[in-house]
Amino acid sequence: MKLDAAILRSLSLEPAKTTVASHGGSGFTTTAKITTTLNDGTRKHFFLKTGQGEDAEVMFAGEHASLNAIHTIPSLCPQSFAHGKMDNGGAFLVTDFIDIVSSRSSLRDEQGSGLSLAQKLAKLHTTPASIPEGYDRPMFGFPISTCCGNTEQENDFTESWADFYARHRLLAILRKSEKTNGKDTQLRSLVEKTAKEVVPRLIGDDHLNNGKGVTPVVVHGDLWSGNKGRGRIGGKGAVEDVVFDPSAAYAHGEYELGIMRMFGGFGESFLTEYHSICPKTEPVEEYEDRVSLYELYHHLNHHAIFGGGYKSGAISIMRDLHRKYGNSIFLDDLTHVKKTLEAASGHPFYFLSQIEDPTYIYIVGSWPSAENHWQFLPSRANQELLTLMKGSVEVMWMLHIDSSGPMQALPKESAETVLGAEYVAPSVGKIVDEAPVISISRYFISSGKRSPSMAQKDFIETFRKAEHHLKAHQAPYDLVLGQRIETTSRDMVEVITIAGWNHVAQHLSFADTPGYQEFAKIKEFVDATEIKHAKKLAL
């Protein structure tokens, strides 16, 4: 392997005293180790990256600037010495060589900086970024474009962090995704809604830190577990926790945590130590959602680069954030719907967001009878609700259940006004009010040679004989079983259960219990099932 003359010139190295050999590997570049003897007789090692085309020039220029921006904490990353075009074509980057070690035992008898990776990163994120040339105040962005993977990121300086993240991360990566994967109406709609509604609500400058906003700090920008290690920088000195392959920006420090969460490798003890030095931004209660918003960019970036399953991860994050922050007007409208239904029925109504797909909302309530509900549907009050929600929601299905009892009535004075009666306390409302997660299970029972009523009766008897196993597993929450009043077809009937759980995994793990074998006998009567999980919306 021969070293290009442009690299020798950039480092002022003598060809006769310098060798190069392939070393390591990278998904987007070729990597090597340069060994040279300096004029004072000492040996020096460098790390070399090479690549072809203009993309490589942009990538290496960005990494050069990124490393030297992070190098304000000298023991955190290698220093970059040179980058540019090679005489023989292509581009190069030369940095400190890091002797990576695999065991923590290497630190026992050595005295380096004495700082852990968490401490170094926290120090970086509590040090304000330098004011860019030509500006009189801190700005979000970076002096040049950088690359995250092979995605070129424009980093035009922007005064607003929310504007920078929306424009130069979310909307920018959407454009690249459409170039590589083709037009995607669903993805575009979700990303644009996130940029327009969620970003200003969750990380708006007038929202963070009680309206004070955040100060730009240098972030690595691509800090997954594969871009950190332990080693000797420059092949000498003590072993240090180090990072490499950065895609830096002047950003909100918590932006760093998005990709750290996505791929793992940074445990709870790391974050505890980190946040002891670099506190969570206010409001602290929205911290997890901010990190999810920052993680979103990396799901979108990986989808743009690799395609595949990263899209589903991005969609899941966006739908969850939309449910919480997407549109306060929509939530206000749902609150109006809830009050109208409660006034008409005299009972509480509950709005549940499906966990598997948060764009689905269940409305669970109680009426004195199905006939009362049917009479309400053509009423002026209901028509006004349909007009209000037109374009925002679409009714997918509706059914009535004859369960073990009505839901909790409104306070006596309200109930008497609407219905002239007070109802007994139910179990459905208690389940929805108390359980963190609700399962809604629909069992479609085919009668076969039996009458529909006999098929339904056999199913319920089998269910009742074994439901103690299910209730023992779901404790302390309860379960309600009800029969659908409307028939779906001549030979098909439906039974629905509503049950409370601590979390979805608790429900799924029931299949691994001994009691499940007896409970599973209900399958003999079931033609199809639909089992979903939901959480109560706070309206």
Side-chain angles (χ1 to χ4, degrees):
M1 186 175 183
K2 186 177 180 181
L3 198 60
D4 190 272
I7 300 173
L8 291 168
R9 290 195 303 272
S10 70
L11 300 173
S12 301
L13 301 180
E14 296 184 28
K17 297 180 179 180
T18 305
T19 61
V20 61
S22 178
H23 182 90
S26 171
F28 306 105
T29 64
T30 301
T31 55
K33 178 181 181 180
I34 299 172
T35 302
T36 190
T37 301
L38 303 178
N39 292 332
D40 61 2
T42 59
R43 290 172 66 82
K44 173 74 174 176
H45 303 293
F46 297 95
F47 186 66
L48 171 68
K49 288 185 177 183
T50 59
Q52 298 298 316
E54 292 183 4
D55 290 347
E57 292 182 41
V58 172
M59 180 181 294
F60 294 151
E63 186 172 344
H64 173 81
S66 295
L67 285 170
N68 289 335
I70 297 171
H71 201 67
T72 54
I73 314 296
S75 63
L76 179 54
C77 74
Q79 183 177 355
S80 183
F81 297 103
H83 71 94
K85 294 182 179 180
M86 294 189 292
D87 290 352
N88 294 329
F92 72 91
L93 172 74
V94 180
T95 73
D96 272 323
F97 184 83
I98 302 176
D99 279 331
I100 298 293
V101 299
S102 59
S103 173
R104 296 195 67 88
S105 62
S106 303
L107 272 182
R108 290 175 181 172
D109 300 321
E110 299 184 12
Q111 294 295 322
S113 68
L115 300 175
S116 67
L117 180 57
Q119 292 171 324
K120 294 178 186 179
L121 195 64
K123 187 175 180 181
L124 181 70
H125 292 170
T126 51
T127 302
S130 59
I131 296 176
E133 185 177 348
Y135 292 86
D136 61 358
R137 69 190 70 182
M139 302 292 286
F140 297 98
F142 203 59
I144 63 173
S145 295
T146 54
C147 291
C148 190
N150 66 355
T151 296
E152 181 178 348
Q153 302 173 134
E154 293 182 357
N155 294 311
D156 296 347
F157 285 118
T158 308
E159 189 169 353
S160 163
W161 165 241
D163 287 350
F164 177 86
Y165 186 67
R167 290 169 49 208
H168 295 301
R169 289 301 180 262
L170 295 185
L171 296 177
I173 197 59
L174 173 64
R175 291 192 292 271
K176 174 173 179 177
S177 177
E178 291 184 334
K179 287 181 180 178
T180 56
N181 299 310
K183 296 291 184 181
D184 189 323
T185 304
Q186 178 196 34
L187 191 64
R188 171 165 283 278
S189 175
L190 289 170
V191 173
E192 288 180 340
K193 181 180 176 68
T194 303
K196 181 181 179 180
E197 298 180 6
V198 177
V199 167
R201 164 61 183 83
L202 196 53
I203 60 170
D205 306 279
D206 59 352
H207 179 65
L208 297 179
N209 285 327
N210 299 310
K212 297 177 181 178
V214 292
T215 300
V217 298
V218 177
V219 297
H220 179 286
D222 192 14
L223 189 53
W224 67 291
S225 58
N227 283 344
K228 69 179 178 74
R230 298 179 61 75
R232 293 180 177 84
I233 299 176
K236 61 183 179 180
V239 172
E240 295 276 2
D241 287 316
V242 293
V243 298
F244 34 83
D245 292 348
S247 174
Y250 303 159
H252 180 199
E254 289 179 353
Y255 171 71
E256 195 87 276
L257 308 181
I259 194 166
M260 291 168 62
R261 174 196 280 180
M262 180 175 174
F263 290 112
F266 300 86
E268 193 62 35
S269 60
F270 178 97
L271 291 174
T272 298
E273 184 179 15
Y274 168 83
H275 283 304
S276 69
I277 302 170
C278 183
K280 297 175 182 177
T281 300
E282 293 287 349
V284 172
E285 61 270 20
E286 294 176 357
Y287 164 83
E288 295 292 341
D289 291 328
R290 289 195 300 270
V291 176
S292 292
L293 179 61
Y294 296 145
E295 181 183 345
L296 168 63
Y297 169 72
H298 296 285
H299 283 271
L300 292 170
N301 186 39
H302 278 71
H303 174 60
I305 298 172
F306 304 110
Y310 292 106
K311 175 183 171 182
S312 62
I315 288 176
S316 177
I317 290 173
M318 286 188 284
R319 283 179 169 165
D320 187 51
L321 291 175
H322 292 176
R323 178 175 60 83
K324 294 181 179 180
Y325 307 102
N327 193 333
S328 59
I329 296 176
F330 177 66
L331 294 179
D332 288 343
D333 289 344
L334 288 184
T335 301
H336 178 69
V337 173
K338 173 180 166 68
K339 291 179 179 178
T340 301
L341 293 174
E342 289 177 343
S345 69
H347 297 277
F349 270 71
Y350 301 89
F351 287 64
L352 312 176
S353 175
Q354 188 186 110
I355 293 174
E356 287 81 2
D357 185 347
T359 60
Y360 283 86
I361 294 174
Y362 298 97
I363 303 176
V364 182
S366 180
W367 294 84
S369 69
E371 182 63 26
N372 283 102
H373 187 203
W374 287 118
Q375 291 174 358
F376 170 75
L377 294 181
S379 70
R380 180 178 178 179
N382 188 54
Q383 295 308 306
E384 289 177 351
L385 294 184
L386 293 175
T387 301
L388 175 69
M389 303 306 294
K390 186 178 181 180
S392 298
V393 298
E394 177 185 358
V395 178
M396 303 301 293
W397 50 263
M398 180 184 73
L399 54 83
H400 297 94
I401 305 167
D402 182 8
S403 66
S404 57
M407 291 194 193
Q408 176 65 53
L410 293 174
K412 184 175 181 180
E413 56 274 16
S414 299
E416 289 177 340
T417 300
V418 179
L419 300 172
E422 187 174 12
Y423 286 83
V424 298
S427 53
V428 175
K430 188 171 186 291
I431 292 169
V432 174
D433 265 331
E434 295 182 357
V437 170
I438 311 298
S439 65
I440 301 172
S441 305
R442 303 176 65 187
Y443 299 95
F444 301 93
I445 302 163
S446 178
S447 60
K449 296 181 180 180
R450 296 165 294 178
S451 67
S453 60
M454 283 301 299
Q456 189 179 63
K457 179 175 178 293
D458 291 342
F459 171 88
I460 292 175
E461 286 181 354
T462 305
F463 187 100
R464 291 300 189 194
K465 288 179 181 178
E467 76 173 324
H468 64 280
H469 296 298
L470 184 63
K471 288 189 172 183
H473 190 68
Q474 68 171 146
Y477 304 111
D478 209 342
L479 171 149
V480 166
L481 179 145
Q483 306 168 43
R484 180 171 181 175
I485 295 175
E486 304 90 355
T487 57
T488 55
S489 69
R490 289 179 56 188
D491 61 350
M492 184 78 72
V493 292
E494 184 177 347
V495 173
I496 297 94
T497 64
I498 298 176
W501 305 90
N502 281 308
H503 42 72
V504 175
Q506 181 191 16
H507 185 194
L508 300 180
S509 66
F510 177 56
D512 299 324
T513 63
Y516 179 75
Q517 297 305 315
E518 182 180 357
F519 183 82
K521 292 178 181 179
I522 63 171
K523 293 181 180 179
E524 176 185 346
F525 310 101
V526 175
D527 187 65
T529 59
E530 178 187 286
I531 301 175
K532 300 296 182 181
H533 301 86
K535 290 185 176 181
K536 179 183 173 184
L537 283 174
L539 297 177

